[in-house]
Structure formats: structure tokens, C-alpha cells
């Protein structure tokens, strides 16, 4: 286990790194079930959440994770518009660092934004989602959820369905699941398949029915209407739901004990049928709980030694 | 004026197809004699031992950006010509995307006169095809040519409307002047930040498919064929573009093309880590494309190497990848990158120098000062083994946006002479 400075991507990780973080997260999960959900691991540390894109869940999850570890948190949320006015990301970070921050958690619309600030600050940087690149803590929490449910990730067959092109979750999930020995099949409208996605190790299967066949887990991705710009990549939400949404009929083609995951927030009735939202095979809320534990593990790993 | 004796240097001159060891005597800025057996007169104290060095005609770069007028914080004609001669270039053709764009005779004259005032190199401007680079109305080709421009291009932006490009090519026939195409189908490149493929997928960046260039190359080749005009394709970066140009040449279309050193030296992998110093347009492509570019240089389908020297300040490169500006500087790294092709056995020395001298001269239709007795001294002395590391401190350009920054390169010009004077000498 090498000493990691930042968590910028799953691409930078080795299998042992993920295993270590998952085992740490399992321990922290126990903390979350205590009546007093707090440990003093990061007392006196200040964690700065830089959320340049709207986010409720991820931002709250990081804040809670930090507070459970007794760290102080401050957050800034900025809309894209102020960046367009020429606000300089590097300046913003250097200014906050000068106020003696200990860690940056960043979400930004530009791919590579976390890498950019990691290059200019001495503080650890955690990527909470950069453009259409990666969302590493989401992949870790998905791994944790699968590990807890199935006991092991190796050998699982995971189908990821939807807007792969705009999904940082898909990229991080594919990389993490492949590292952990799962099989990844991706499906969705061909207009939403990135070129040469096989380079990440996933197999493309444009026929959704074929893609979900014998799967252990289906990860539905959110249609990211805000990222599409230009011409719509599919004719209508109605058509999307009919051909690419996860319906009970499609779900019945998976293995009997298969589960459904979704990074949220769900466009109900588009990528996921409402009937499937609240069945026991749907692990969406387990994912959310895993999220806090995984983020505690990441924060503790990057900051505890400092 | 310059008196100089260069003893036993390897003269590589594509214009006379010579590659031989010889000596040169320069008196009062003029080449007095060239020959194996001549010796330095006692009056000439300034002697260079040519052992291990090459002497070539002054190099020529038909695609660069000097940023003046308007963006002097990136580069100006003074720093740009200095960077050019440090890279061995004595003739350079600045593209018209200045602020305001060079779309009229007065701006063309301004660039020429300012260039001449520094007495270092010849700046032969390329003017806009359309007024304000807007792609709507043709500029005054006749007047601009009479003022000294040597070609027309809306470089940086393609002429979007095929009928306007057709008009430009038709009208160019009255003056037999060259139209240079920046080949890009804008509807396919919109929002793209790098080549579309494996690396753009890994980095989660929006890509520009190579088809974006190929389609535009084919459009302009067909329009050149339709009109009978002379067309030059700038910065060729794809395998298919090389093939299209080869086919067009075979069937007699009057088309020429250039590539830039980065397209035969680097691939999209150089972008990894969100390296904005590797961001340019067209973007770095794949290994397959790089190999096709090298084949094109070898087979003569690609007529010349041009740097596309494109200075940008640090502010425009130290930012999110998608916001970073396109372009890298190229004058001072072109020769070592070209020499790499010789070291790898892909080109012989004469062919490489051809791509930097006679090749571009034929494209723009000029005859530079020859290396022969009676001519004013204009030449470049290259030390093919001299290693150096381009750094912020040592580059002559105002900007240092190059993926080769702080990397060791091998071979460089050590002396450049222009109009009878030494304009660059490496210490």
C-alpha cells in the first residue's frame, strides 16, 4: 500500500488500494451505526468542499463523512456562470489554501479540474466528479455495496446501461469493477457510447436484452440532459424509456438474485421503471449509506498521517 | 558587413541537389566563393571550422503566428522573428488571424515593414480569404498581393460555406495565387478538445474525430478540381487526409500540403494528464496517423514541414483543459524534431532539408536567396548532434507553450545568416 497523495481517479489505483479502502470503509460503517456517530480521527483538520456544479447528495455525503471524523468543513458552491466570467480556479484554490485548509474536495464541470488543482496545492485533493471524466468515490461506494451484498466482487457480471458518454460514474465504475475482477457490459443508445470505450476493458452490447442477460447487477445511469448540448442524442424520453429503460420485463432476464443500482438522482420512468424503485433487489439507499463510509475511509487515508 | 570563412562544412542544398563538404568565403556580406580548395585570405580573421556542421539555405516556414498586431502579450514581430532565426528560419509566413485580422493591404504592409525593420528575417504575410475571417465576403486579393502578401487563408477558422470557398478559388485564378485551407468541418469539431478516440475516452474529454479533417480536405480538393485553382492544405494530421491528397495529386489537381513537426513526433497520448501544452487544432492523432504522416513525408505527398508556431501566454494554458487555447510554439523545436526522422533512417539529410527549404518555396512560389557565389549570405548552420533543453529562460519566443518544454532535444541551428549578416549565433 503506497502512500496516496490525492484521490483523483480510479485509473490511478491498484487493486490493493481499492481493497484497502473498502476494508476501511467497512470499519467506518460500523461507526455510522453507533448511537454517537463520531470518531476523533481528523480533529482539527479543515476540509474544503469546492462544488462548482450543483450537487446535493455528494456534497452532503462528503460533509457528513468529514463531520463523523470530527473534521471542520467549509463549502463553496459556485454556479458555472461565475467561472464563465473569468473566475480563475487556480486562484480560488490558492487563496483558500492560504487560509490554511487541509484538504480539497472538488466537483467541477471540466474534465481534469481535480488534476489541475492537485498540481497547484500542497493539500490532498479528492475528486468528487470532474466533467465527464471520473467520479472515483462513487465507484468505491458501488464496489462496497456489491461486496456487502454478494460477499465478493470477483466474477460478478455487471451491466451498465444508459448515457455512458456523459457519465463519469460509468468510467470510474468500469475501471474499478474490472480491477476487482468483475465483468462489465455496457449498453445504451449508440449515440451515447464513447469511441473506443473497450480500451477501458468493458464490452459493448447495444442490444439491452442481450446485455442484461445473466447479469448479477444492473447499474442504470441517469440521462444527463444538462450535459448534452446541441442536438438531442435520442429522439424522446418516451422512446428512451421504451428501448433503454430498465423495466420489470428487462429485469426478469437477469439472474434470479440480481440487484439494481443507480448513482442517483433517478429520472423515474425514464431509465428506471417506478415499479422497480422500491423492491428489495434495488440497492439505491444502501449505495447512499456506503457513500458516507467510503468517503470517511478516503478522508482518513489522505489526512490521518498528516 | 560580414567577412567570414567557413572551412570544410557539409553543404546540404536541395535547390542545387548538393550534399558535399566544401568551404565558403563571405566578404562584405556576399558569398565570394564556394569550393573545396579555397582557403581563408589572411585579411579574414573570422573563421568557423565546419567539422560536424551542416550548412543549408535559410530555412522557410510557411505557417506561423506572430500575433502582431493585437496580441503582443503572446508574441510580436520582434520576438517572433528572433525565435524564427534561432530556429534557423529566415523566411516565415505569418497567418492572418491577428487582431484585427490581416484582411487588407494596410495590415499586410504593416507586417512587412515591421518585419523588415528588425533586419533578421523575411516575413511574407498570408492574408485572409474573407473580410474579418467571417467567411462571408472575399478580401481584395489583387490589392493585398500587390502589397506583398503571398497567399490567402482564414487559418484558425475554415471557410464554412463551400460556395464562398469556391468563389475564393475561382477568383484566385485571376492572380494565380495560392489559397490555403484550414480543413475542419466545424459541425463535427464543435466543443471538442482533443482527438476522438481511446485517449479522449480515458480522459473523459470531448473528442474531434479525424473525419472532421478528412471531410473538409475532400471538399476543398473537389473545389480546387472544379475551379482549376491552386490549393494548399495546412497542417495535415490524419491518415485519410494524406491518402486523399495523394489521390488528388495523381489525377492532376493543383494541390499541395504541409504537416507540422508535432504530427510526426507525438500522438494523442501526449495529452494524458490533461497536458494543455499538447492541445492544438487539429489535435494530436493516433499512432496510425503519425505513421501515415511520416510515410507522406517520405513519399513526397507532403510537400513541406511548417511549424504552425502558435504562441499563447501561460494564462491561456494553465487552466482547465477544455478552456485552454489551441496551439504550440514551433520555430525553435522544428529542426531537432525533423532530425529525429533522419536519425531513425526515415529521411536522408537532403530530403529533410528539402522539406524546410525547396519544398515550402515551391508551394508559395518564391525563389529565395541561393547559396552560391555572388549571393548575399543567407543560410543556416546546423549542428545535428548539439543537445539542448528548451526552457522558459532559453526560448526566444515570448511564450513557452510547447510539449517539448524541459525535454532534451538533439540537433539545432547554431548560426543563422540573413541578408549578409549573422542574425543568430548560439553562444
Amino acid at each position: 500500500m503506497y502512500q496516496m497523495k490525492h484521490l483523483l481517479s480510479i485509473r490511478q489505483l491498484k487493486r490493493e488500494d481499492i481493497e484497502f479502502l473498502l476494508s476501511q470503509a467497512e470499519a467506518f460503517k460500523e461507526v455510522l451505526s453507533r448511537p454517537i456517530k463520531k470518531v476523533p480521527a481528523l480533529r482539527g483538520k479543515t476540509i474544503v468542499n469546492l462544488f462548482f456544479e450543483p450537487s446535493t447528495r455528494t456534497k452532503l455525503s462528503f460533509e457528513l463523512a468529514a463531520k463523523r471524523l470530527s473534521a471542520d468543513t467549509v463549502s463553496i458552491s459556485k454556479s458555472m456562470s461565475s467561472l464563465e466570467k473569468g473566475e480563475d480556479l487556480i486562484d480560488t484554490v490558492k487563496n483558500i489554501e492560504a487560509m490554511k485548509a487541509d484538504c480539497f474536495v472538488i466537483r467541477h464541470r471540466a474534465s481534469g479540474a481535480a488534476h489541475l488543482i492537485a498540481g497547484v496545492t500542497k493539500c490532498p485533493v479528492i475528486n468528487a466528479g470532474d466533467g465527464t471524466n471520473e467520479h472515483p468515490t462513487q465507484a468505491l461506494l458501488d464496489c462496497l455495496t456489491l461486496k456487502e451484498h454478494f460477499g465478493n466482487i470477483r466474477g460478478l457480471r455487471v451491466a451498465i446501461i444508459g448515457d455512458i458518454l456523459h457519465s463519469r460514474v460509468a468510467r470510474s465504475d468500469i475501471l474499478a469493477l474490472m480491477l476487482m475482477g468483475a465483468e462489465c457490459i455496457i449498453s445504451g443508445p449508440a449515440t451515447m457510447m464513447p469511441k473506443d470505450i473497450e480500451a477501458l476493458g468493458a464490452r459493448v452490447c447495444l442490444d439491452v436484452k442481450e446485455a442484461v442477460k445473466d447479469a448479477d447487477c444492473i447499474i442504470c445511469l441517469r440521462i444527463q440532459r444538462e450535459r448534452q448540448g446541441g442536438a438531442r442524442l435520442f429522439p424522446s424520453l418516451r422512446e428512451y424509456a421504451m428501448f433503454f429503460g430498465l423495466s420489470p420485463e428487462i429485469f426478469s432476464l437477469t439472474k434470479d438474485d440480481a440487484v439494481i443500482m443507480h448513482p442517483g438522482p433517478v429520472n423515474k420512468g425514464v431509465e428506471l421503471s417506478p415499479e422497480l424503485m422500491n423492491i428489495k433487489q434495488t440497492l439505491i439507499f444502501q449505495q447512499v449509506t456506503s457513500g458516507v463510509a467510503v468517503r470517511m475511509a478516503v478522508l482518513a487515508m489522505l489526512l490521518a498521517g498528516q | 558587413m560580414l567577412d567570414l570563412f567557413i572551412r570544410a562544412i557539409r553543404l546540404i542544398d536541395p535547390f542545387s541537389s548538393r550534399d558535399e563538404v566544401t568551404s565558403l568565403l563571405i566578404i562584405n556580406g556576399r558569398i565570394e566563393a564556394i569550393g573545396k580548395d579555397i582557403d581563408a585570405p589572411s585579411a579574414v580573421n573570422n573563421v568557423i571550422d565546419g567539422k560536424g556542421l551542416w550548412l543549408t539555405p535559410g530555412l522557410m516556414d510557411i505557417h506561423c503566428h506572430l500575433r502582431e498586431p493585437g496580441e503582443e502579450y503572446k508574441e510580436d514581430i520582434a520576438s517572433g522573428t528572433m525565435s524564427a532565426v534561432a530556429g534557423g528560419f529566415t523566411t516565415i509566413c505569418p497567418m492572418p488571424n491577428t487582431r484585427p485580422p490581416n484582411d487588407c493591404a494596410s495590415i499586410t504592409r504593416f507586417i512587412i515593414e515591421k518585419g523588415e525593420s528588425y533586419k533578421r528575417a523575411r516575413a511574407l504575410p498570408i492574408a485572409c480569404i474573407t473580410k474579418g475571417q467571417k467567411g462571408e465576403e472575399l478580401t481584395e486579393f489583387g490589392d493585398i498581393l500587390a502589397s506583398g502578401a503571398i497567399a490567402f487563408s482564414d487559418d484558425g477558422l475554415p471557410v464554412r460555406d463551400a460556395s464562398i470557398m469556391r468563389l475564393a478559388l475561382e477568383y484566385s485564378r485571376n492572380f494565380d495565387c495560392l489559397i490555403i485551407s484550414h480543413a475542419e468541418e466545424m459541425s463535427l469539431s464543435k466543443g471538442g478538445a482533443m482527438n476522438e478516440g481511446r485517449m479522449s475516452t480515458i480522459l473523459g474529454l470531448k473528442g474531434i474525430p479525424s473525419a472532421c479533417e478528412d471531410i473538409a480536405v475532400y471538399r476543398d480538393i473537389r473545389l480546387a478540381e472544379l475551379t482549376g485553382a491552386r490549393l494548399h492544405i495546412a497542417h495535415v494530421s490524419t491518415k485519410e487526409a494524406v491518402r486523399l491528397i495523394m489521390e488528388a495529386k495523381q489525377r492532376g489537381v493543383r494541390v499541395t500540403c504541409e504537416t507540422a513537426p508535432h504530427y510526426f513526433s507525438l500522438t494523442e497520448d501526449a495529452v494524458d494528464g490533461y497536458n494543455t501544452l499538447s492541445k492544438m487544432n487539429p489535435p494530436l492523432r493516433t499512432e496510425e496517423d503519425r505513421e501515415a504522416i511520416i510515410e507522406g513525408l517520405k513519399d513526397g505527398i507532403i510537400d513541406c514541414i511548417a511549424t504552425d508556431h502558435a504562441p499563447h501566454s501561460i494564462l491561456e494554458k494553465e487552466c482547465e483543459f477544455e478552456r485552454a487555447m489551441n496551439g504550440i510554439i514551433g520555430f525553435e523545436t522544428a529542426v531537432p524534431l525533423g532530425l529525429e526522422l533522419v536519425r531513425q533512417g526515415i529521411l536522408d539529410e537532403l530530403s529533410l532539408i528539402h522539406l524546410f527549404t525547396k519544398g515550402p518555396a515551391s508551394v508559395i512560389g518564391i525563389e529565395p536567396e541561393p547559396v552560391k557565389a555572388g549571393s548575399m549570405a543567407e543560410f543556416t548552420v546546423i549542428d545535428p548532434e548539439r543537445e539542448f533543453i528548451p526552457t522558459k529562460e532559453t526560448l526566444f519566443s515570448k511564450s513557452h507553450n510547447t510539449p517539448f518544454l524541459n525535454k532534451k532535444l538533439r540537433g539545432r541551428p547554431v548560426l543563422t545568416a540573413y541578408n549578409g549578416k549573422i542574425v543568430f549565433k548560439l553562444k
Side-chain angles (χ1 to χ4, degrees):
Chain A
M1 182 74 208
Y2 72 103
Q3 183 54 48
M4 205 183 295
K5 174 89 211 272
H6 308 287
L7 179 65
L8 303 179
S9 61
I10 297 294
R11 193 179 165 216
Q12 74 177 92
L13 301 183
K14 295 187 176 60
R15 183 196 166 94
E16 307 83 75
D17 301 329
I18 297 182
E19 279 170 350
F20 173 77
L21 283 167
L22 295 184
S23 68
Q24 294 295 103
E26 279 174 317
F28 283 122
K29 211 162 195 181
E30 184 271 321
V31 172
L32 296 178
S33 61
R34 293 179 195 168
I36 295 171
K37 306 175 185 60
K38 201 157 181 152
V39 289
L42 299 185
R43 202 166 54 193
K45 301 287 185 192
T46 305
I47 292 158
V48 182
N49 290 314
L50 303 171
F51 277 70
F52 296 102
E53 260 191 343
S55 159
T56 312
R57 229 188 294 208
T58 306
K59 185 166 160 242
L60 204 57
S61 180
F62 267 107
E63 271 184 36
L64 281 173
K67 289 187 156 78
R68 302 296 188 225
L69 295 168
S70 307
D72 298 315
T73 62
V74 285
S75 302
I76 56 173
S77 308
K78 272 192 181 172
S79 68
M80 181 51 211
S81 62
S82 54
L83 272 175
E84 274 171 346
K85 279 177 208 151
E87 187 84 32
D88 189 316
L89 179 60
I90 294 174
D91 267 3
T92 307
V93 166
K94 284 186 166 169
N95 272 287
I96 298 171
E97 185 180 18
M99 297 177 200
K100 306 298 174 195
D102 295 298
C103 177
F104 289 103
V105 177
I106 179 170
R107 166 166 289 193
H108 196 283
R109 70 174 291 276
S111 297
H115 298 70
L116 179 71
I117 69 164
V120 299
T121 172
K122 293 187 182 72
C123 299
V125 174
I126 300 171
N127 182 1
D130 62 327
T132 53
N133 177 39
E134 280 218 43
H135 190 355
T137 56
Q138 176 74 41
L140 292 172
L141 75 87
D142 286 347
C143 284
L144 181 61
T145 310
L146 284 173
K147 190 181 172 205
E148 283 183 340
H149 187 86
F150 289 104
N152 203 336
I153 299 171
R154 174 167 293 278
L156 292 180
R157 185 175 181 143
V158 181
I160 304 177
I161 299 177
D163 183 357
I164 311 290
L165 183 64
H166 296 100
S167 178
R168 51 198 176 206
V169 174
R171 275 181 181 68
S172 290
D173 270 347
I174 292 168
L175 291 168
L177 290 167
M178 301 297 298
L179 265 184
M180 298 305 288
E183 183 192 358
C184 266
I185 298 131
I186 56 175
S187 190
T191 50
M192 293 174 149
M193 286 293 152
K195 195 151 184 266
D196 298 336
I197 184 73
E198 296 86 352
L200 300 187
R203 185 158 67 79
V204 177
C205 178
L206 290 179
D207 181 344
V208 175
K209 286 182 182 155
E210 182 69 33
V212 303
K213 198 157 173 276
D214 297 328
D216 297 290
C217 172
I218 310 289
I219 298 176
C220 296
L221 297 174
R222 193 168 67 86
I223 294 298
Q224 308 208 39
R225 276 173 278 190
E226 71 277 12
R227 282 191 213 284
Q228 287 186 23
R232 289 181 67 143
L233 300 179
F234 54 89
S236 65
L237 290 177
R238 176 176 166 270
E239 171 135 323
Y240 187 93
M242 283 166 68
F243 290 90
F244 306 102
L246 186 61
S247 61
E249 185 209 342
I250 299 282
F251 187 54
S252 71
L253 302 172
T254 61
K255 280 194 187 148
D256 290 341
D257 59 350
V259 297
I260 299 169
M261 302 207 296
H262 190 298
V266 181
N267 295 306
K268 287 182 202 167
V270 183
E271 65 262 4
L272 187 58
S273 285
E275 304 94 294
L276 297 175
M277 282 291 292
N278 295 311
I279 59 173
K280 70 172 182 357
Q281 296 97 315
T282 299
L283 306 181
I284 294 176
F285 297 110
Q286 285 89 324
Q287 286 176 276
V288 176
T289 309
S290 296
V292 178
V294 154
R295 285 163 185 135
M296 288 171 78
V298 171
L299 286 168
M301 179 189 66
L302 295 179
L303 282 163
Q306 293 216 324
Chain B
M1 283 298 253
L2 178 66
D3 292 342
L4 174 67
F5 184 73
I6 304 175
R7 178 177 291 124
I9 196 163
R10 181 173 174 186
L11 171 65
I12 304 175
D13 182 5
F15 293 97
S16 59
S17 303
R18 269 186 299 177
D19 181 353
E20 63 197 23
V21 174
T22 189
S23 299
L24 287 90
L25 176 64
I26 295 131
I27 298 290
N28 209 13
R30 262 181 211 287
I31 299 175
E32 184 78 15
I34 301 182
K36 281 191 176 59
D37 307 323
I38 61 168
D39 212 340
S42 55
V44 175
N45 300 321
N46 194 2
V47 176
I48 292 174
D49 179 6
K51 191 168 182 240
L53 303 177
W54 302 355
L55 188 142
T56 73
L59 307 184
M60 186 178 291
D61 180 10
I62 62 169
H63 189 148
C64 67
H65 301 269
L66 299 183
R67 305 298 188 207
E68 187 176 355
E71 292 178 310
E72 294 83 355
Y73 68 98
K74 300 182 191 220
E75 191 87 285
D76 55 25
I77 295 171
S79 64
T81 51
M82 196 57 233
S83 178
V85 295
F89 297 97
T90 56
T91 304
I92 55 176
C93 302
M95 281 291 179
N97 58 342
T98 46
R99 307 266 165 93
N102 177 12
D103 62 357
C104 61
S106 59
I107 298 176
T108 296
R109 274 199 300 274
F110 164 81
I111 294 168
I112 292 173
E113 284 163 16
K114 193 108 194 235
E116 281 173 355
S117 74
Y118 300 111
K119 302 182 181 4
R120 282 200 273 271
R122 195 179 286 111
L124 303 175
I126 294 163
C128 293
I129 295 173
T130 64
K131 288 176 187 157
Q133 278 191 304
K134 290 201 178 100
E136 291 161 4
E137 285 176 86
L138 297 186
T139 56
E140 295 171 327
F141 284 14
D143 191 25
I144 293 170
L145 287 166
S147 300
I150 46 91
F152 296 90
S153 177
D154 277 359
D155 184 55
L157 290 171
V159 177
R160 280 188 210 217
D161 186 325
S163 72
I164 302 291
M165 192 62 170
R166 177 191 175 165
L167 272 187
L169 287 161
E170 275 175 342
Y171 190 57
S172 76
R173 295 191 59 207
N174 282 84
F175 307 96
D176 196 31
C177 62
L178 185 68
I179 301 291
I180 301 176
S181 163
H182 167 113
E184 176 180 353
E185 170 49 52
M186 295 281 272
S187 62
L188 283 173
S189 58
K190 195 176 169 216
M194 66 173 297
N195 184 52
E196 179 177 297
R198 191 183 135 270
M199 191 48 74
S200 68
T201 292
I202 288 173
L203 295 176
L205 290 168
K206 186 161 161 50
I208 303 170
S210 53
C212 164
E213 179 171 332
D214 308 337
I215 289 168
V217 165
Y218 186 69
R219 183 196 80 168
D220 289 349
I221 284 173
R222 284 293 287 129
L223 292 174
E225 201 168 16
L226 176 68
T227 55
R230 277 208 292 145
L231 174 73
H232 178 74
I233 311 282
H235 42 54
V236 170
S237 74
T238 71
K239 182 181 178 181
E240 179 63 7
V242 176
R243 196 188 66 79
L244 288 167
I245 292 161
M246 177 185 71
E247 279 183 4
K249 284 185 166 184
Q250 281 168 355
R251 60 174 196 268
V253 183
R254 299 169 77 199
V255 60
T256 53
C257 72
E258 75 197 23
T259 192
H262 34 279
Y263 300 120
F264 61 72
S265 306
L266 298 173
T267 67
E268 59 177 10
D269 288 354
V271 176
D272 199 2
Y274 302 93
N275 186 1
T276 57
L277 295 180
S278 298
K279 183 178 177 183
M280 73 276 301
N281 187 22
L284 294 171
R285 306 283 186 187
T286 63
E287 181 60 19
E288 200 182 350
D289 294 300
R290 192 183 76 89
E291 284 165 9
I293 297 293
I294 288 175
E295 283 304 304
L297 288 167
K298 215 163 122 181
D299 301 344
I301 294 154
I302 298 175
D303 299 85
C304 62
I305 298 171
T307 67
D308 199 358
H309 177 84
H312 288 297
S313 88
I314 200 156
L315 296 174
E316 293 148 341
K317 286 289 189 180
E318 275 192 356
C319 60
E320 298 88 322
F321 193 88
E322 59 191 48
R323 290 175 73 209
M325 294 231 176
N326 282 310
I328 65 171
I329 56 169
F331 286 144
E332 297 171 63
T333 51
V335 165
L337 296 175
L339 283 168
E340 199 53 46
L341 299 178
V342 173
R343 285 192 283 267
Q344 290 170 11
I346 293 161
L347 295 178
D348 61 33
E349 292 83 345
L350 198 59
S351 310
L352 174 70
I353 301 305
H354 172 95
L355 290 162
F356 280 120
T357 54
K358 195 179 174 190
S362 314
V363 169
I364 59 171
I366 64 158
E367 287 186 15
E369 195 71 18
V371 180
K372 66 172 191 197
S375 297
M376 290 303 279
E378 178 172 341
F379 52 74
T380 302
V381 177
I382 295 168
D383 181 346
E385 300 302 324
R386 177 88 172 230
E387 290 185 340
F388 72 109
I389 298 172
T391 62
K392 288 176 188 180
E393 292 73 30
T394 55
L395 284 163
F396 287 87
S397 172
K398 270 192 194 181
S399 298
H400 15 81
N401 51 311
T402 163
F404 302 103
L405 194 69
N406 303 322
K407 304 249 164 76
K408 191 190 270 183
L409 299 176
R410 192 163 142 215
R412 69 177 299 183
V414 292
L415 183 147
T416 306
Y418 171 72
N419 196 28
K421 284 201 288 266
I422 290 174
V423 290
F424 169 72
K425 189 173 183 189
L426 189 70
K427 287 177 192 83

